[in-house]
Amino acid sequence: MGLEVVELFAGVGGFRLGLEEAGHEVIWSNQWEPSIQAQHASNCYASQFGDDNHTNVDIKEIDETEVPDHELLVGGFPCQDYSVAQTGAEGIEGEKGALWWDIERIARQKRPRYLLLENVNRLLRSPTEQRGRDFGVLLHCLHDIGYNVEWRVINAADYGYPTKRRRVFIFGARRDTEWGGWLESHGDQPNYFTRRGFFPREFPVDNRQQQQFPVARNPDASLLGDPKETSESFEFHFKKSGAMVDGDVWTRDVDPESEWETTLGDVLETGGVPEKYYLSEDEIERWEYMKGSKEEERVTDEGYEYTFSEGAIPFPDPLDRPSRTLLTSEGTTSPGREKHVVEDPATGDLRILTPIEVERLMDFPDGWTDTGMPENWRYTCMGNALVVGLIEQMGRTLNQDPEMETSHAFAQMNSG
Ligand SMILES: C[S@@+](CC[C@H](N)C(=O)[O-])C[C@H]1O[C@@H](n2cnc3c(N)ncnc32)[C@H](O)[C@@H]1O
């Protein structure tokens, strides 16, 4: 008896793949790419899952009353405005960040039992000049609509996936649900974040810290005030894990208890990949320059002189550990600092990753995006996606009665 799910900002369906594995059912979805006319991600989604109840229009055009009733609302909302890679990021007020308000109006209208959202972890600190304001606004809204909230920064590599990808996951539980009540009665206790909460069940943390780092409760962190005031004056240091219960915030840092590791080397195709993925000999020097550390005098367009410096990125990428985070800029063999380059184990030559390898990094089935889109878009879609298995794990927790501890958490409880 899974939950009926609505998936927003669906991309190529990372949430759906994970949730369906855990027995939930997506009954309506939306995906629209504003940057180009061709709708590659939406087409891929429709060809993989069928186009029944899939909509390919700007979310802003969707009237919230037309979204069907559902129990779980999910979405990895566009993160450009919070991303450190973006200069001039404007946070929740920026054009992309403003898409939060579309989630908000749908949640307010439909009041599903649960929400599960994903974003870059920088959302917790954004914007720079008023740290924590955007997340404070988000929590304020959810409180106002009737939710208690738990969040956690999770790096996929810490839990056995072959890529580093640090994202904040936000779980909202309507106050009259089992999880909403559980948060209400337990969310203020230190062990909520190390074993009893929604996230630590599948994503265990080092329990020994419990005494050293009790939950910090900021007495000024009440979100019950006026929203305008929250927006103008709210500042708060949200940590990696936390809860908002009835407008009060509880937050603490936690360290993952890593259990096993898969590596970049584990996802490489064996048996030879086409020539087109190999770097050209003539460009190796340029690659080395771009990947290397540098300290250079540069001049801005306005004539202002400054020293530019950056550290080195391993070249090629090491195969014996999880990969660096995949961005949307991969996919061609022209030199690029952030692109992944590997030494092919069979030939010993340098090459970029193949589309199948980036799908494996994100825990998608091989060939998932091979649905007719240009190859560079296959990389873009994976750079935007989430690590599917993490969502499957969260989907399993949603199937549990919160009173029931998982065997892992239970074992910890008996030993801790
Ligand atoms: C961070 S990605 C989510 C990817 C998804 N979780 C996956 O697994 O593929 C955000 C998605 O929102 C879409 N998007 C951006 N603006 C939108 C809008 N105005 N309406 C609907 N979708 C939008 C983007 O095209 C992108 O696919």
Side-chain angles (χ1 to χ4, degrees), residues 86-355:
Q86 190 84 352
T87 48
E90 292 173 82
I92 215 157
E93 292 170 341
E95 197 193 327
K96 297 263 177 33
L99 291 167
W100 155 250
W101 299 107
D102 296 290
I103 300 179
E104 200 262 1
R105 70 187 166 84
I106 293 170
R108 193 176 285 277
Q109 172 71 32
K110 302 310 273 188
R111 300 191 76 246
R113 295 166 64 76
Y114 301 116
L115 306 167
L116 189 56
L117 309 171
E118 178 243 14
N119 213 297
V120 290
N121 55 337
R122 203 181 125 66
L123 169 62
L124 296 176
R125 301 190 301 269
S126 158
T128 332
E129 67 283 1
Q130 196 185 334
R131 187 177 165 137
R133 179 203 65 193
D134 289 347
F135 196 64
V137 170
L138 184 147
L139 291 179
H140 182 108
C141 295
L142 292 177
H143 170 68
D144 193 47
I145 310 174
Y147 290 86
N148 287 330
V149 176
E150 179 179 341
W151 74 87
R152 171 80 180 271
V153 174
I154 295 175
N155 180 358
D158 288 334
Y159 293 100
Y161 296 93
T163 183
K164 293 181 189 159
R165 199 170 183 89
R166 205 171 269 116
R167 290 290 184 267
V168 59
F169 291 89
I170 304 157
F171 174 58
R174 211 176 60 204
R175 285 197 281 271
D176 60 343
T177 59
E178 292 91 334
W179 276 102
W182 183 251
L183 261 153
E184 187 95 35
S185 51
H186 296 79
D188 60 350
Q189 296 162 17
N191 69 5
Y192 189 83
F193 306 98
T194 54
R195 61 189 190 210
R196 311 200 83 176
F198 178 81
F199 292 110
R201 294 171 190 232
E202 286 283 331
F203 306 101
V205 298
D206 185 349
N207 211 13
R208 285 165 305 184
Q209 318 165 322
Q210 204 163 300
Q211 301 309 317
Q212 291 103 303
F213 301 107
V215 170
R217 181 183 184 187
N218 184 330
D220 302 324
S222 171
L223 296 166
L224 288 164
D226 160 25
K228 194 162 176 301
E229 204 176 293
T230 303
S231 159
E232 281 168 11
S233 60
F234 184 84
E235 262 194 273
F236 191 64
H237 284 217
F238 292 106
K239 299 188 178 179
K240 285 186 215 158
S241 145
M244 188 269 296
V245 180
D246 249 339
D248 282 327
V249 173
W250 308 82
T251 188
R252 64 173 294 169
D253 278 330
V254 287
D255 285 329
E257 192 182 71
S258 302
E259 284 185 349
W260 74 100
E261 203 176 74
T262 47
T263 68
L264 174 57
D266 294 334
V267 308
L268 295 191
E269 293 194 63
T270 50
V273 310
E275 262 317 296
K276 66 175 181 178
Y277 298 113
Y278 283 88
L279 310 192
S280 134
E281 276 296 323
D282 315 341
E283 287 186 319
I284 301 287
E285 214 173 295
R286 178 83 189 139
W287 277 100
E288 280 168 349
Y289 167 76
M290 296 197 83
K291 298 271 188 181
S293 70
K294 38 190 98 63
E295 193 164 322
E296 306 171 345
E297 298 308 314
R298 292 191 182 176
V299 185
T300 63
D301 291 346
E302 295 79 35
Y304 173 72
E305 286 178 21
Y306 66 104
T307 307
F308 174 83
S309 65
E310 62 187 7
I313 290 186
F315 179 67
D317 285 85
L319 300 184
D320 61 351
R321 61 190 84 152
S323 78
R324 291 177 294 112
T325 305
L326 196 69
L327 303 178
T328 51
S329 52
E330 311 260 341
T332 62
T333 54
S334 60
R337 182 169 160 83
E338 306 292 346
K339 291 178 187 176
H340 291 75
V341 172
V342 292
E343 185 179 291
D344 187 276
T347 62
D349 292 330
L350 298 180
R351 65 169 177 84
I352 60 167
L353 297 176
T354 68

Side-chain angles (χ1 to χ4, degrees), residues 7-15 30-34 39 41 57-60 75-80 96 99 102 118 364 377 381-388:
E7 184 179 22
L8 304 179
F9 308 106
V12 295
F15 266 106
N30 175 261
Q31 160 58 33
W32 181 74
E33 172 52 51
Q39 293 295 312
V57 286
D58 186 347
I59 185 79
K60 302 213 167 299
F77 51 120
C79 55
Q80 287 89 331
K96 297 263 177 33
L99 291 167
D102 296 290
E118 178 243 14
F364 279 71
W377 268 90
C381 287
M382 285 300 107
N384 271 334
L386 39 70
V387 174
V388 171

